Amino acid sequence: MSNHVVLLLLLMASFQLTSSTLSQRLGDVDPDLPALLKIKAQFGEQAALASWQPGTDHCTWPHAFCDQNRRVVAIFLEGVNITSTIPPAIGDLDRLRTISIDNIPGLTGPIPDSFGNLSRLSIFNIMRTSVSGPLPASLARTNLTSVSFAQNKLTGRIPMSFQDLPHLAHFDASNNALVGRIPPGLVSGGTRESPLGLTLSNNRLTGRIPRSYGREDYFINFRVANNRLRGDASFLFRREKAVSDIDLSGNKLRFDLIGVEIPEALLFLNVSRNRIYGGVPASLPRSRLVRLDLSYNRLCGEIPPGGIMGRFKAAAYEHNRCLCGTPLPPC
């Protein structure tokens, strides 16, 4: 063997030893580094994570964000080309506060149960992916305040344990295939400064809307459209209730609308395609509504005049039993 070849082999061995030693030292100083490298390995060969390399500063890596102590507190993966399942090793990042995964159609498989180990996790978004399977009940061990699981392929029930999350204020699981009942107190503790939001539209939820949501004064939105919900929902309406958007459309709800007090703050109301009876509430002209849909119900009687009523076209009232008056034909 020539001297040149021997020298080259010695240099390569020295480089590998130096790289290994540097990675070990970084792992000692930066306890999140092994988890990040494990996450990369579980994702497989993905161009979006090509720069996640041993021997480099993980706080400069794209999609991972550190605090002042060099601990990873956020993972953002949005609009990148990834074809894989979600790595369970994300659950090893014990200082993680935010996970946001959005617009990655190639992301499949379930939400790992290991995410329940993230006791500091506050904001958790998985949106517009092909993630499937049930919502892990282990997430009740986290510190969630805001969740969006919109537009995935999630199935199963919303875990009842989620009502044990004391700070959860926003929950969006719309456009999935969830079944079963809505847990009472899924979001709670709203204030004027931090109103609640619940969006469960376009699923296969059944049963009644829990009355606990009628006792919450502050909602930014309450949307449960296009499910299979039954029963009374009149308790959601009170004049003093601070809610801007109520969408109950496309269910099998049945209650008398005539005595309902339209919330003073309400801007959007859709109760179409239900089994709602009675008449148009007398409180409607005094409201601030800018969008209204009462169509495809069993309402009867004269539409009250005055106030804001000129905003709404006939389509807002059509396909009821016997409504009349402007903008419909006179009584």
Side-chain angles (χ1 to χ4, degrees), residues 91-154:
D92 296 338
L93 297 171
D94 60 1
R95 299 297 177 91
L96 206 59
R97 295 198 296 265
T98 299
I99 299 173
S100 186
I101 299 172
D102 185 18
N103 192 22
I104 307 178
L107 196 65
T108 60
I111 299 172
D113 193 62
S114 63
F115 282 22
N117 299 330
L118 302 172
S119 60
R120 302 176 187 228
L121 186 63
S122 175
I123 299 172
F124 187 16
N125 300 328
I126 297 181
M127 303 174 291
R128 296 185 290 174
T129 74
S130 298
V131 169
S132 59
L135 294 172
S138 63
L139 291 175
R141 303 199 302 266
T142 65
N143 191 40
L144 288 173
T145 61
S146 178
V147 169
S148 180
F149 297 137
Q151 298 185 48
N152 297 294
K153 298 180 180 179
L154 298 170

Side-chain angles (χ1 to χ4, degrees), residues 221-240:
N221 60 264
F222 188 93
R223 306 187 190 113
V224 294
N226 300 318
N227 282 285
R228 300 168 185 175
L229 302 171
R230 297 176 177 271
D232 185 5
S234 61
F235 55 83
L236 295 173
F237 299 87
R238 280 184 286 112
R239 186 70 178 166
E240 68 277 8

Side-chain angles (χ1 to χ4, degrees), residues 25-193:
R25 288 175 179 172
L26 284 173
D28 293 338
V29 176
D30 300 312
D32 293 329
L33 180 60
L36 290 172
L37 294 175
K38 191 175 179 181
I39 291 167
K40 180 185 178 183
Q42 291 178 355
F43 262 133
E45 291 296 327
Q46 307 290 340
L49 304 180
S51 59
W52 288 28
Q53 294 293 335
T56 62
D57 185 359
H58 72 280
C59 288
T60 66
W61 293 356
H63 314 299
F65 297 86
C66 298
D67 63 9
Q68 66 273 17
N69 298 315
R70 299 181 55 78
R71 299 303 305 273
V72 177
V73 294
I75 295 288
F76 286 89
L77 287 164
E78 301 179 353
V80 295
N81 184 18
I82 288 180
T83 304
S84 175
T85 57
I86 301 175
I90 293 177
D92 296 338
L93 297 171
D94 60 1
R95 299 297 177 91
L96 206 59
R97 295 198 296 265
T98 299
I99 299 173
S100 186
I101 299 172
D102 185 18
N103 192 22
I104 307 178
L107 196 65
T108 60
I111 299 172
D113 193 62
S114 63
F115 282 22
N117 299 330
L118 302 172
S119 60
R120 302 176 187 228
L121 186 63
S122 175
I123 299 172
F124 187 16
N125 300 328
I126 297 181
M127 303 174 291
R128 296 185 290 174
T129 74
S130 298
V131 169
S132 59
L135 294 172
S138 63
L139 291 175
R141 303 199 302 266
T142 65
N143 191 40
L144 288 173
T145 61
S146 178
V147 169
S148 180
F149 297 137
Q151 298 185 48
N152 297 294
K153 298 180 180 179
L154 298 170
T155 57
R157 298 173 179 268
I158 302 171
M160 285 293 173
S161 59
F162 282 13
Q163 59 190 326
D164 297 330
L165 288 161
H167 307 298
L168 187 59
H170 299 274
F171 189 89
D172 183 350
S174 58
N175 296 284
N176 284 284
L178 299 174
V179 299
R181 296 177 178 270
I182 301 173
L186 182 58
V187 293
S188 60
T191 65
R192 189 175 298 277
E193 293 75 24

